[in-house]
Amino acid sequence: SAASDVYKRQTSNFSEHTNANYFLHTGSGLQGRPSMGAWVTYGLGSESKDLPGFVVVNGGLTPPGGLDNFNSGFLPASYQASVFKPGGNAPVANIGRRERDAVVQRGKLDLLAKLDAVSAERSGGQDAIESAIANYEMAFRMQSSVPELTDLSGEPDKLKELYGMNHKYDKTRIFASECRMARRRVERGVRFVELTCPNTGNDRWDAHSNLKKNHENNSLAVDKPIGALLTDLKQRGMLKDTLVIWAGEFGRTPFAQGSNGRAPHPFAYSIWMAGGGIKGGTIYGETDQFGYHVVEGKLQMHDMHATMLHLLGIDHERSTYRFSGRDMRLTDVHGHVVHDIIA
């Protein structure tokens, strides 16, 4: 995939997982800010009426910091992520229809909406109530759309092999299902999709020890499905309009921790981006000879967010939301678009 990849030298302000994950997802190391997925759907809306605009497919390991990595923060609650499982009979919690008769269920939802509307009018309008109404309606539509979304019976067997759906390693099969479902969601108009890694028994990529086994198992789980996703998107003509980002909250030290591990390292690490208008085959930034510090093209998380939003057609400085007397944005008062990696 070298023809469609950009590798960037990133830095972070944090070496602790929870704060660093909040920084990655929300542009702040503190809990409670809107996730980048929430900002994107707030700025662009959703192309799908029957699926959420922001979806997280949890392969087994929610990032440290928990679901607040995917929260809507001070944005309306309708912009928070909906969490899916990669497969099975119940990919979304509490979405099953309890009323067998759709007409009866529709009547109950209509009554609930009227009661909520009365409460909203009396209170002068509250996001919690208005978002609850919107989410009830979305859940109702998802009862029909989700089974169709997760039905892979109509796709050819060669796609199963391409993604690794029949791979001998069960973690590869999990991530293959995540990547395959991500493509199907994008096809159906879901605006922002985030995938989490499966649990290989090695604590994510956090290799304080047993680094070789950790990275081998994690790489085996994700490498084939990622390559398949990029190939599949390109063959369908979707890669040029779909931005794919592979990133973590920080890297690992260039020297050993103990005998066979590496410690967290926020001062220099790499992420890659593919598709979505980036300039393929580009390496941006350079570290010192030890790989310890970035000495050229140093980038911060805000720069990644600014560039990501730019590629999606959003000006990161103008996409704001009034909160607590201030116009807030994903990049706070920081960030610049890295034009050198844009085609």
Side-chain angles (χ1 to χ4, degrees):
S1 59
S4 59
D5 287 354
V6 164
Y7 292 88
K8 296 168 58 181
R9 300 293 183 252
Q10 285 283 139
T11 62
S12 177
N13 289 351
F14 304 92
S15 58
E16 191 277 327
H17 290 285
T18 296
N19 299 102
N21 265 289
Y22 288 149
F23 193 37
L24 166 65
H25 285 87
T26 74
S28 171
L30 301 177
Q31 185 179 24
R33 292 293 186 93
S35 169
M36 51 186 169
W39 277 110
V40 168
T41 50
Y42 165 67
L44 296 178
S46 176
E47 293 184 326
S48 175
K49 295 182 179 180
D50 301 324
L51 291 168
F54 176 21
V55 167
V56 172
V57 186
N58 185 8
L61 289 174
T62 303
L67 296 179
D68 272 324
N69 287 296
F70 319 128
N71 213 333
S72 58
F74 48 72
L75 294 177
S78 54
Y79 294 114
Q80 71 182 16
S82 294
V83 181
F84 282 63
K85 295 179 182 178
N89 296 324
V92 185
N94 303 316
I95 202 67
R97 177 175 291 172
R98 295 189 177 184
E99 289 288 351
R100 295 185 178 181
D101 190 328
V103 175
V104 173
Q105 186 181 20
R106 180 69 265 171
K108 288 184 174 181
L109 282 175
D110 289 342
L111 175 59
L112 186 61
K114 290 179 181 179
L115 295 174
D116 283 340
V118 171
S119 297
E121 184 177 357
R122 289 177 177 176
S123 64
Q126 292 186 12
D127 168 53
I129 297 176
E130 294 171 354
S131 293
I133 295 172
N135 288 338
Y136 290 148
E137 292 297 324
M138 175 59 73
F140 177 72
R141 295 193 296 272
M142 286 171 64
Q143 289 177 339
S144 298
S145 62
V146 168
E148 184 277 331
L149 173 70
T150 56
D151 181 9
L152 304 177
S153 60
E155 295 199 337
D157 290 340
K158 65 179 182 180
L159 271 183
K160 294 182 181 179
E161 294 300 322
L162 179 67
Y163 277 92
M165 296 292 290
N166 299 318
H167 200 279
K168 62 181 180 180
Y169 190 39
D170 62 330
K171 312 307 179 188
T172 305
R173 298 197 298 270
I174 291 173
F175 202 70
S177 179
E178 291 185 63
C179 288
R180 199 173 173 192
M181 295 308 300
R183 187 266 298 166
R184 289 175 66 88
R185 286 174 173 83
V186 172
E187 278 185 314
R188 285 155 178 78
V190 175
R191 186 69 73 179
F192 194 101
V193 183
E194 179 170 348
L195 311 180
T196 74
C197 290
N199 187 351
T200 65
N202 296 292
D203 194 15
R204 302 171 177 85
W205 299 81
D206 190 22
H208 288 276
S209 61
N210 296 320
L211 182 143
K212 185 174 185 296
K213 180 180 179 181
N214 176 299
H215 283 22
E216 283 179 348
N217 287 348
N218 279 293
S219 297
L220 181 61
V222 304
D223 185 65
K224 184 176 178 65
I226 289 173
L229 175 62
L230 296 177
T231 299
D232 197 8
L233 288 172
K234 188 172 184 179
Q235 289 177 346
R236 294 170 187 268
M238 296 171 60
L239 186 60
K240 65 182 186 300
D241 301 317
T242 305
L243 179 63
V244 183
I245 302 174
W246 176 262
E249 69 272 34
F250 44 58
R252 314 303 297 185
T253 54
F255 50 81
Q257 178 184 27
S259 60
N260 58 358
R262 300 285 173 89
H265 188 70
F267 307 117
Y269 64 103
S270 298
I271 70 167
W272 61 257
M273 308 169 77
I278 60 90
K279 187 188 300 181
T282 302
I283 298 176
Y284 185 89
E286 184 178 341
T287 64
D288 58 31
Q289 60 181 325
F290 303 108
Y292 196 89
H293 287 291
V294 177
V295 295
E296 183 180 333
K298 181 178 179 180
L299 296 177
Q300 182 55 272
M301 206 68 70
H302 304 296
D303 302 318
M304 184 193 81
H305 289 154
T307 305
M308 176 188 76
L309 292 177
H310 176 82
L311 289 167
L312 296 177
I314 301 174
D315 185 335
H316 76 104
E317 294 183 345
R318 298 179 65 186
S319 179
T320 63
Y321 188 87
R322 193 73 175 177
F323 175 72
S324 192
R326 179 183 163 203
D327 290 332
M328 310 292 283
R329 68 189 208 213
L330 173 60
T331 52
D332 194 34
V333 296
H334 310 285
H336 68 278
V337 177
V338 187
H339 289 281
D340 288 345
I341 70 170
I342 298 175

